[in-house]
Amino acid sequence: MVSITCHSNGSAICKAPCIKTVGFRAHQLQLLCIYNCILFKMDFLHRNGVLIIQHLQKDYRAYYDFLNFMSNVGDPRNIFFIYFPLWFQLNQTVGTKIIWVAVIGDWFNLIFKWILFGHRPYWWVQETQIYPNHSSPCLEQFPTTCETGPGSPSGHAMGSSCVWYVMVTAALSYSVRRMDKLSITMHRLTWSFLWSLFWLIQVSVCISRVFIATHFPHQVILGVIGGMLVAEAFEHTPGIQTASLAMYLKTNLFLFLFALGFYLLLRLLDIDLLWSVPIAKKWCANPDWIHIDTTPFAGLVRNLGVLFGLGFAINSEMFLLSCRGENGYKLSFRLLCVVTSLTTLQLYHFIQVPTHTEHLFYLLSFCKNASIPPTVVALIPYCIHMLMKPSEKKTR
């Protein structure tokens, strides 16, 4: 006989004294015991997570603007609109790695979300049965609270940690190459400063996601760890720098078919991986805060579009003529490309993809995001390259 002892603090201990049943039945009982123990442990995590959220919302409400800003800093979309155009023009190796890390990291985030079935705080407090007499705690919601996908691990925390890990390690690698015996102390100070900045940003992003009740604390911790692991893996994957267009296409196809196949397989097993969408719509305080671009497939389509666009761009003649030509080594050329790219990409926010038809949204979203890398990598550098040609002839 299997029994589960539940303590007042929400923890659980499984007791399985002398299970006389042998064979398949015994394994069933043991699996049931393990499953129930996991549920009790998760309730314990969720319950204490809610207490932390309530504490943050009560005592740090005055810092909402800062926390909302830090939540936007961790938004995976900013990787493509800010970090990528900035770094690619300064260091093409780092810029390329940022895209790969962001895309693969977010893909793993999607797969793990589908596996872990993580709840989000704003709906969990309404759905759970652990609070007696319907006395569920009240959590304040904000315009960025009502994300519709599963909550574990946090996509913002994972995206932020993997990209900032790449940027910090790239900056440290640059400082090491310029180091001599007289600058060892300066290198140590640089190392301390950059890693302190890294953790300050990650902690701030994590707290912001917990504050707005879109994640539990353990979900953002998992996100940070997962992002760092993905980024570290790409530190030992130099092949992405010389990948051909065929390699980009094969990678895109694999990521899409694996995710789609995984989704369809579980649908055949009567497991709906979009289970979180109706729950999010049910418990969101304001229907206008529900956005289709927070659904699981929206993130997948966005990432596949960016990766496809990068593969097309770095294998184009425009890129080879501009960034790999003489001008590509000039600081003035690079700075002009950075400023123009950052300015141009801000105009993308005015391009509103229609959301009334889901399949049309995914198609147009793919096209919109696929155009970002060619704009940054090929089109803008090529135009600046052509504009600089007449001025070079005059100086001669």
Side-chain angles (χ1 to χ4, degrees), residues 110-117 150 259 262-263 273-274 296-297:
L110 171 66
I111 299 301
F112 279 115
K113 279 182 174 179
W114 279 348
I115 293 173
L116 297 177
F117 289 87
F262 187 68
Y263 171 78
L273 292 180
L274 301 180
F297 278 113

Side-chain angles (χ1 to χ4, degrees), residues 78-91:
N78 286 331
I79 297 172
F80 310 129
F81 287 100
I82 298 176
Y83 303 136
F84 166 64
L86 175 63
W87 273 95
F88 189 86
Q89 305 300 349
L90 299 177
N91 189 312

Side-chain angles (χ1 to χ4, degrees), residues 41-301:
K41 292 294 184 182
M42 292 309 299
D43 282 343
F44 175 73
L45 279 176
H46 291 152
R47 199 171 195 172
N48 284 279
V50 168
L51 294 176
I52 294 173
I53 295 169
Q54 288 181 308
H55 168 67
L56 290 174
Q57 291 188 347
K58 178 183 177 182
D59 296 342
Y60 297 92
R61 186 65 176 79
Y63 298 96
Y64 167 73
D65 290 336
F66 169 74
L67 292 172
N68 185 55
F69 169 76
M70 291 310 302
S71 182
N72 290 327
V73 167
D75 192 332
R77 287 169 291 196
N78 286 331
I79 297 172
F80 310 129
F81 287 100
I82 298 176
Y83 303 136
F84 166 64
L86 175 63
W87 273 95
F88 189 86
Q89 305 300 349
L90 299 177
N91 189 312
Q92 294 170 13
T93 300
V94 178
T96 302
K97 188 186 295 184
I98 282 176
I99 291 293
W100 277 90
V101 164
V103 170
I104 301 300
D106 207 47
W107 183 83
F108 273 114
N109 182 266
L110 171 66
I111 299 301
F112 279 115
K113 279 182 174 179
W114 279 348
I115 293 173
L116 297 177
F117 289 87
H119 291 277
R120 294 186 184 271
Y122 74 93
W123 78 55
W124 181 84
V125 293
Q126 305 294 339
E127 294 278 320
T128 184
Q129 303 296 323
I130 69 170
Y131 296 105
N133 302 322
H134 304 286
S135 58
S136 57
C138 179
L139 297 181
E140 186 177 358
Q141 295 184 24
F142 303 91
T144 52
T145 295
C146 300
E147 296 198 3
T148 56
S152 186
S154 166
H156 278 63
M158 194 165 179
S160 175
S161 66
C162 70
V163 169
W164 276 93
Y165 189 94
V166 170
M167 293 191 293
V168 167
T169 53
L172 288 175
S173 177
Y174 176 77
S175 68
V176 167
R177 288 197 299 269
R178 297 178 62 88
M179 185 181 66
D180 53 41
K181 292 182 180 179
L182 297 176
S183 60
I184 293 177
T185 303
M186 182 61 67
H187 172 69
R188 289 175 179 173
L189 290 174
T190 304
W191 188 93
S192 300
F193 170 75
L194 289 176
W195 282 116
S196 298
L197 178 65
F198 171 85
W199 285 112
L200 177 64
I201 291 172
Q202 303 321 309
V203 170
S204 299
V205 170
C206 289
I207 290 175
S208 71
R209 302 302 289 170
V210 173
F211 173 84
I212 64 175
T214 198
H215 284 295
F216 290 103
H218 71 276
Q219 294 173 344
V220 294
I221 293 172
L222 282 176
V224 170
I225 295 172
M228 292 176 67
L229 289 175
V230 171
E232 179 60 28
F234 274 90
E235 292 294 318
H236 310 283
T237 314
I240 59 174
Q241 302 299 334
T242 56
S244 63
L245 178 58
M247 181 62 182
Y248 276 89
L249 294 176
K250 289 176 183 177
T251 304
N252 248 24
L253 192 61
F254 170 78
L255 296 178
F256 174 72
L257 291 179
F258 187 96
L260 182 63
F262 187 68
Y263 171 78
L264 294 176
L265 175 63
L266 292 187
R267 282 300 297 265
L268 289 175
L269 298 175
D270 204 27
I271 300 175
D272 184 11
L273 292 180
L274 301 180
W275 60 273
S276 60
V277 177
I279 298 178
K281 291 179 178 178
K282 179 181 179 182
W283 295 114
C284 184
N286 188 339
D288 293 335
W289 294 346
I290 296 286
H291 301 290
I292 191 174
D293 61 353
T294 64
T295 58
F297 278 113
L300 177 65
V301 169

Side-chain angles (χ1 to χ4, degrees), residues 27-46:
H27 289 300
Q28 279 186 317
L29 292 172
Q30 289 171 349
L31 289 173
L32 178 62
C33 176
I34 294 171
Y35 175 73
N36 285 326
C37 280
I38 291 173
L39 288 182
F40 274 110
K41 292 294 184 182
M42 292 309 299
D43 282 343
F44 175 73
L45 279 176
H46 291 152

Side-chain angles (χ1 to χ4, degrees), residues 308-322:
F308 171 79
L310 179 64
F312 176 78
I314 64 175
N315 288 281
S316 66
E317 288 293 330
M318 296 172 71
F319 168 72
L320 296 175
L321 285 171
S322 55

Side-chain angles (χ1 to χ4, degrees), residues 3-29:
S3 62
I4 299 173
T5 303
C6 183
H7 294 278
S8 58
N9 62 0
S11 62
I13 297 178
C14 284
K15 295 181 178 179
C18 297
I19 301 179
K20 294 184 178 179
T21 312
V22 294
F24 182 70
R25 178 62 176 165
H27 289 300
Q28 279 186 317
L29 292 172

